[in-house]
Amino acid sequence: MVPSPNIWHWPEVYEEENRAQDVHGVVYAALREACDWAGRDVLDVGCGTGFHLPMFAATARTVTGIEPHPPLVELARGRVRDQPGVRVEAGSAEQLPLPDGTVDVVHARTAYFFGPGCGAGIAEAMRVLRPGGALAIVDLDATAHPYGEWMRADLPHYDPAAVEAFFAAQGFDLRRVDTEWRFPDRATLERVLGIEFGPRVAERAVHGTPGTTLTVRYRLHVRRKPRGLEIP
């Protein structure tokens, strides 16, 4: 496992970040359009504290969250303790604790699936999906100003073009989704930027952000499992 540099160490601040992200729900809308989960079985890989699980549970038949970090597993279980049809299990993207062909949607948001090197997780997702099911990967778009510019400054070896080419070669569709992040105050914005970037880039991002809102673009990559015989 590669430790997550933000949620593993600052889950309370990451919770503030989740609440601020995509205030108009356009990522959720794009997901529903691409792979509606109403009445279906959903798997959320790298679910963290389980922030997205109740949203899926509102219409899904069942929801399973998978998280490798034990403290986050407990937080996620606490969040959905009273919700029927929702469970959280310890596990990894490379070794999902589910039988073959048992879910309809595999969702991963800013977790594990970051481009070259995640082939084992893609293969596992295809294994647990039913024919016609979809693997939906939501990640930040490092080509878009201003957030993507800060990402590239903070991660100089990250090549967004190479990442997108990797997913295209793996048979994923790509949709770009523009969102608004809205924070209740400047202090919350500064805390969130402080866990997302190193000190120098975080300071630059804070000074480059007037007010309490940010425009942030996401990438939505979707790959479907064939309904018929798949020939390697």
CSV table of all heavy atoms in Angstrom, one decimal, residues 113-140:
chain,number,residue,atom,x,y,z
A,113,PHE,N,-6.3,4.6,-8.7
A,113,PHE,CA,-6.3,4.5,-10.2
A,113,PHE,C,-5.7,5.9,-10.8
A,113,PHE,O,-6.5,6.7,-11.2
A,113,PHE,CB,-7.7,4.3,-10.7
A,113,PHE,CG,-8.2,2.9,-10.4
A,113,PHE,CD1,-9.0,2.7,-9.3
A,113,PHE,CD2,-7.9,1.8,-11.2
A,113,PHE,CE1,-9.5,1.5,-9.0
A,113,PHE,CE2,-8.4,0.5,-10.9
A,113,PHE,CZ,-9.2,0.4,-9.8
A,114,PHE,N,-4.4,6.0,-10.7
A,114,PHE,CA,-3.8,7.2,-11.1
A,114,PHE,C,-3.0,7.1,-12.4
A,114,PHE,O,-2.2,8.0,-12.8
A,114,PHE,CB,-2.9,7.7,-10.0
A,114,PHE,CG,-3.6,8.0,-8.7
A,114,PHE,CD1,-3.2,7.4,-7.5
A,114,PHE,CD2,-4.7,8.9,-8.7
A,114,PHE,CE1,-3.8,7.6,-6.3
A,114,PHE,CE2,-5.3,9.1,-7.5
A,114,PHE,CZ,-4.9,8.5,-6.3
A,115,GLY,N,-3.2,6.0,-13.2
A,115,GLY,CA,-2.5,5.9,-14.5
A,115,GLY,C,-1.7,4.7,-14.5
A,115,GLY,O,-2.0,3.6,-13.8
A,116,PRO,N,-0.6,4.7,-15.3
A,116,PRO,CA,0.3,3.5,-15.4
A,116,PRO,C,0.7,2.9,-14.0
A,116,PRO,O,1.0,3.7,-13.1
A,116,PRO,CB,1.6,4.1,-16.1
A,116,PRO,CG,1.0,5.2,-16.9
A,116,PRO,CD,-0.1,5.8,-16.1
A,117,GLY,N,0.6,1.6,-13.9
A,117,GLY,CA,0.8,0.9,-12.7
A,117,GLY,C,-0.4,0.4,-12.0
A,117,GLY,O,-0.3,-0.4,-11.0
A,118,CYS,N,-1.6,0.8,-12.5
A,118,CYS,CA,-2.8,0.4,-11.8
A,118,CYS,C,-3.5,-0.7,-12.5
A,118,CYS,O,-4.7,-1.0,-12.3
A,118,CYS,CB,-3.8,1.6,-11.6
A,118,CYS,SG,-4.6,2.2,-13.1
A,119,GLY,N,-2.8,-1.4,-13.4
A,119,GLY,CA,-3.4,-2.5,-14.2
A,119,GLY,C,-4.0,-3.6,-13.4
A,119,GLY,O,-5.1,-4.2,-13.7
A,120,ALA,N,-3.4,-3.9,-12.2
A,120,ALA,CA,-3.9,-5.0,-11.4
A,120,ALA,C,-5.3,-4.6,-10.9
A,120,ALA,O,-6.2,-5.5,-10.7
A,120,ALA,CB,-2.9,-5.3,-10.3
A,121,GLY,N,-5.5,-3.4,-10.5
A,121,GLY,CA,-6.8,-2.9,-10.0
A,121,GLY,C,-7.8,-2.9,-11.1
A,121,GLY,O,-9.0,-3.3,-10.8
A,122,ILE,N,-7.4,-2.6,-12.3
A,122,ILE,CA,-8.4,-2.6,-13.4
A,122,ILE,C,-8.9,-4.1,-13.6
A,122,ILE,O,-10.0,-4.3,-13.8
A,122,ILE,CB,-7.8,-2.0,-14.7
A,122,ILE,CG1,-7.5,-0.5,-14.5
A,122,ILE,CG2,-8.7,-2.3,-15.9
A,122,ILE,CD1,-6.7,0.1,-15.6
A,123,ALA,N,-7.9,-5.0,-13.6
A,123,ALA,CA,-8.2,-6.4,-13.8
A,123,ALA,C,-9.2,-6.9,-12.7
A,123,ALA,O,-10.1,-7.7,-13.0
A,123,ALA,CB,-7.0,-7.2,-13.8
A,124,GLU,N,-8.9,-6.5,-11.5
A,124,GLU,CA,-9.8,-6.9,-10.3
A,124,GLU,C,-11.2,-6.3,-10.5
A,124,GLU,O,-12.2,-7.0,-10.2
A,124,GLU,CB,-9.2,-6.4,-9.0
A,124,GLU,CG,-8.3,-7.4,-8.3
A,124,GLU,CD,-9.1,-8.6,-7.8
A,124,GLU,OE1,-9.3,-9.6,-8.6
A,124,GLU,OE2,-9.5,-8.7,-6.7
A,125,ALA,N,-11.3,-5.1,-10.9
A,125,ALA,CA,-12.6,-4.5,-11.1
A,125,ALA,C,-13.4,-5.2,-12.2
A,125,ALA,O,-14.6,-5.5,-12.1
A,125,ALA,CB,-12.4,-3.0,-11.5
A,126,MET,N,-12.7,-5.6,-13.3
A,126,MET,CA,-13.4,-6.3,-14.4
A,126,MET,C,-13.8,-7.7,-13.8
A,126,MET,O,-14.9,-8.2,-14.3
A,126,MET,CB,-12.4,-6.5,-15.5
A,126,MET,CG,-12.1,-5.2,-16.3
A,126,MET,SD,-13.5,-4.4,-17.0
A,126,MET,CE,-13.6,-2.9,-16.0
A,127,ARG,N,-13.0,-8.3,-12.9
A,127,ARG,CA,-13.4,-9.6,-12.4
A,127,ARG,C,-14.7,-9.5,-11.6
A,127,ARG,O,-15.6,-10.4,-11.7
A,127,ARG,CB,-12.3,-10.1,-11.5
A,127,ARG,CG,-12.6,-11.5,-10.8
A,127,ARG,CD,-11.5,-11.9,-9.9
A,127,ARG,NE,-11.4,-11.0,-8.7
A,127,ARG,CZ,-12.3,-11.1,-7.6
A,127,ARG,NH1,-13.3,-12.0,-7.6
A,127,ARG,NH2,-12.1,-10.3,-6.6
A,128,VAL,N,-14.8,-8.5,-10.7
A,128,VAL,CA,-16.0,-8.5,-9.9
A,128,VAL,C,-17.2,-7.9,-10.5
A,128,VAL,O,-18.4,-8.0,-10.0
A,128,VAL,CB,-15.7,-7.7,-8.6
A,128,VAL,CG1,-14.6,-8.3,-7.8
A,128,VAL,CG2,-15.5,-6.2,-8.8
A,129,LEU,N,-17.1,-7.2,-11.7
A,129,LEU,CA,-18.2,-6.7,-12.4
A,129,LEU,C,-19.0,-7.7,-13.1
A,129,LEU,O,-18.5,-8.7,-13.7
A,129,LEU,CB,-17.7,-5.6,-13.5
A,129,LEU,CG,-17.4,-4.2,-12.9
A,129,LEU,CD1,-16.7,-3.5,-14.1
A,129,LEU,CD2,-18.6,-3.5,-12.4
A,130,ARG,N,-20.3,-7.5,-13.2
A,130,ARG,CA,-21.2,-8.3,-14.0
A,130,ARG,C,-21.0,-7.9,-15.5
A,130,ARG,O,-20.6,-6.7,-15.7
A,130,ARG,CB,-22.6,-8.2,-13.6
A,130,ARG,CG,-22.9,-8.7,-12.2
A,130,ARG,CD,-24.4,-8.7,-11.9
A,130,ARG,NE,-24.7,-9.2,-10.6
A,130,ARG,CZ,-25.0,-8.5,-9.5
A,130,ARG,NH1,-25.0,-7.2,-9.6
A,130,ARG,NH2,-25.2,-9.1,-8.4
A,131,PRO,N,-21.3,-8.7,-16.5
A,131,PRO,CA,-21.3,-8.3,-17.9
A,131,PRO,C,-22.2,-7.0,-18.0
A,131,PRO,O,-23.3,-7.0,-17.5
A,131,PRO,CB,-21.9,-9.5,-18.6
A,131,PRO,CG,-21.5,-10.6,-17.8
A,131,PRO,CD,-21.6,-10.2,-16.3
A,132,GLY,N,-21.6,-6.0,-18.7
A,132,GLY,CA,-22.4,-4.8,-18.9
A,132,GLY,C,-22.1,-3.8,-17.8
A,132,GLY,O,-22.5,-2.6,-17.9
A,133,GLY,N,-21.5,-4.2,-16.7
A,133,GLY,CA,-21.1,-3.3,-15.6
A,133,GLY,C,-20.0,-2.3,-16.0
A,133,GLY,O,-19.4,-2.5,-17.0
A,134,ALA,N,-19.8,-1.3,-15.1
A,134,ALA,CA,-18.9,-0.2,-15.5
A,134,ALA,C,-17.9,0.0,-14.3
A,134,ALA,O,-18.3,0.0,-13.1
A,134,ALA,CB,-19.6,1.0,-15.8
A,135,LEU,N,-16.7,0.3,-14.7
A,135,LEU,CA,-15.7,0.8,-13.8
A,135,LEU,C,-15.6,2.3,-14.0
A,135,LEU,O,-15.3,2.8,-15.2
A,135,LEU,CB,-14.3,0.2,-14.0
A,135,LEU,CG,-13.1,0.9,-13.4
A,135,LEU,CD1,-13.2,1.0,-11.8
A,135,LEU,CD2,-11.8,0.1,-13.7
A,136,ALA,N,-15.9,3.1,-13.0
A,136,ALA,CA,-15.9,4.6,-13.2
A,136,ALA,C,-14.8,5.2,-12.3
A,136,ALA,O,-14.9,5.0,-11.0
A,136,ALA,CB,-17.3,5.2,-12.8
A,137,ILE,N,-13.9,5.9,-12.9
A,137,ILE,CA,-12.8,6.4,-12.2
A,137,ILE,C,-12.9,8.0,-12.2
A,137,ILE,O,-12.9,8.5,-13.3
A,137,ILE,CB,-11.4,6.0,-12.8
A,137,ILE,CG1,-11.3,4.5,-12.7
A,137,ILE,CG2,-10.2,6.7,-12.1
A,137,ILE,CD1,-10.1,3.9,-13.5
A,138,VAL,N,-12.9,8.6,-11.1
A,138,VAL,CA,-13.0,10.1,-11.0
A,138,VAL,C,-11.7,10.6,-10.4
A,138,VAL,O,-11.3,10.2,-9.3
A,138,VAL,CB,-14.2,10.5,-10.1
A,138,VAL,CG1,-14.2,12.0,-10.0
A,138,VAL,CG2,-15.5,9.9,-10.6
A,139,ASP,N,-11.0,11.4,-11.2
A,139,ASP,CA,-9.8,12.0,-10.7
A,139,ASP,C,-9.7,13.5,-11.1
A,139,ASP,O,-10.4,13.9,-12.0
A,139,ASP,CB,-8.6,11.2,-11.3
A,139,ASP,CG,-7.3,11.4,-10.4
A,139,ASP,OD1,-7.4,12.0,-9.4
A,139,ASP,OD2,-6.3,10.9,-10.9
A,140,LEU,N,-8.8,14.2,-10.5
A,140,LEU,CA,-8.6,15.6,-10.8
A,140,LEU,C,-7.9,15.8,-12.1
A,140,LEU,O,-7.0,15.0,-12.5
A,140,LEU,CB,-7.8,16.2,-9.7
A,140,LEU,CG,-8.5,16.3,-8.3
A,140,LEU,CD1,-7.5,16.5,-7.2
A,140,LEU,CD2,-9.6,17.4,-8.3
